[in-house]
Amino acid sequence: MIDIIISNELKELCPDLVLGCIQAKVSVESSPKELWEEINCCCDVLQREIHIEELEGLPRIKAGREAYKKLGKAPSRYRLSSEALIRRVLQGKGVYKINNVVDLNNLISLKSTFPIGSYNLKNLNSPITLRIGKAGEQYKGIGKELINISSLPVLTDALGSFGSPTSDSERAMITNDVREILMCLFSFNGEKEVGGYLKYSEKLIEEYANGKEIKLKIVQ
């Protein structure tokens, strides 16, 4: 497993912050219909059980929003990726179809309400630190313009920052030529259920992405 730590500065402000990490060799391709059946079923459940007005109060999303406020970032402008994804589903807009790894990443996030990012390991350098974005720091988001990542929790290596619980950069995005991934689950309210969702993610990666040599780790 690639080395990953949480900076002391970030941990002091967000003491309950935990990273659930998965490293795996995969085959990236179009998602099979079975995966999309699971995603559609999950979307149906969310639309039945959650009103959009209740979304910000869900425990894992609420904890993330409170952490962003501590860091000085407006959580309604820079939403957690899980909040933005579920909000899209509740608005009836559905989920984008990208590829099997990104799609299963989204399924895990929909089920767990944790923000989750998946990255091309080939384009990363060990060690990786989850730290607070510096003033003026930015990167090119996936399908977006430059994103202001100052005061966000950001994953960083020797080449710079590449991911956050809000939006990831193009540098490590999952494309069809990716052969090994790092998946990170961001929990702002402790370790509870992180291990269970890592095992669930392992199952999905094996089933839908031909996952091999899968390694799991919780970073605190």
Side-chain angles (χ1 to χ4, degrees):
M1 170 73 73
I2 193 170
D3 289 335
I4 305 176
I5 63 169
I6 301 174
S7 74
N8 291 333
E9 180 188 22
L10 179 54
K11 198 68 176 175
E12 285 175 7
L13 283 172
C14 304
D16 295 325
L17 178 57
V18 172
L19 270 181
C21 304
I22 302 175
Q23 184 174 324
K25 293 185 177 179
V26 296
S27 298
V28 181
E29 56 194 18
S30 297
S31 293
K33 67 176 183 179
E34 291 83 4
L35 174 55
W36 270 99
E37 286 172 357
E38 287 201 51
I39 292 171
N40 289 332
C41 180
C42 185
C43 290
D44 289 343
V45 170
L46 288 170
Q47 289 177 320
R48 286 198 306 270
E49 296 186 352
I50 300 174
H51 295 287
I52 198 164
E53 296 81 7
E54 302 168 338
L55 185 54
E56 294 179 8
L58 297 180
R60 292 167 189 152
I61 292 174
K62 182 180 180 180
R65 292 176 63 88
E66 290 174 350
Y68 273 32
K69 290 176 184 177
K70 287 182 182 178
L71 294 169
K73 207 70 171 176
S76 293
R77 183 177 179 189
Y78 295 89
R79 297 189 190 278
L80 299 173
S81 59
S82 53
E83 180 186 349
L85 181 65
I86 296 170
R87 183 175 294 274
R88 180 179 175 83
V89 168
L90 297 182
Q91 291 172 335
K93 297 177 180 178
V95 179
Y96 290 114
K97 292 184 178 182
I98 308 296
N99 57 52
N100 55 340
V101 171
V102 175
D103 296 346
L104 68 85
N105 179 116
N106 287 339
L107 173 58
I108 301 159
S109 192
L110 289 170
K111 279 188 171 288
S112 68
T113 70
F114 287 124
I116 302 172
S118 293
Y119 311 100
N120 180 2
L121 197 67
K122 182 181 178 182
N123 290 349
L124 304 180
N125 292 270
S126 184
I128 292 169
T129 301
L130 181 63
R131 61 166 177 81
I132 301 172
K134 299 174 183 177
E137 193 172 3
Q138 57 188 10
Y139 57 50
K140 180 74 167 64
I142 299 173
K144 301 178 181 178
E145 299 301 321
L146 289 172
I147 297 172
N148 172 13
I149 58 172
S150 65
S151 299
L152 280 178
V154 290
L155 291 165
T156 306
D157 64 7
L159 297 178
S161 298
F162 62 87
S164 80
T166 288
S167 185
D168 298 319
S169 78
E170 287 187 342
R171 169 160 62 104
M173 66 188 291
I174 303 298
T175 53
N176 288 347
D177 60 344
V178 171
R179 295 294 174 263
E180 190 168 12
I181 65 168
L182 173 68
M183 181 181 286
C184 292
L185 180 158
F186 301 86
S187 172
F188 291 93
N189 58 352
E191 189 180 347
K192 185 179 180 182
E193 296 192 57
V194 172
Y197 278 109
L198 286 180
K199 295 298 292 183
Y200 172 63
S201 303
E202 179 182 27
K203 173 181 174 291
L204 290 181
I205 291 169
E206 287 176 338
E207 184 174 358
Y208 293 122
N210 193 32
K212 308 290 184 186
E213 300 179 31
I214 301 177
K215 303 169 187 174
L216 311 179
K217 183 179 183 180
I218 294 177
V219 180
Q220 303 189 67

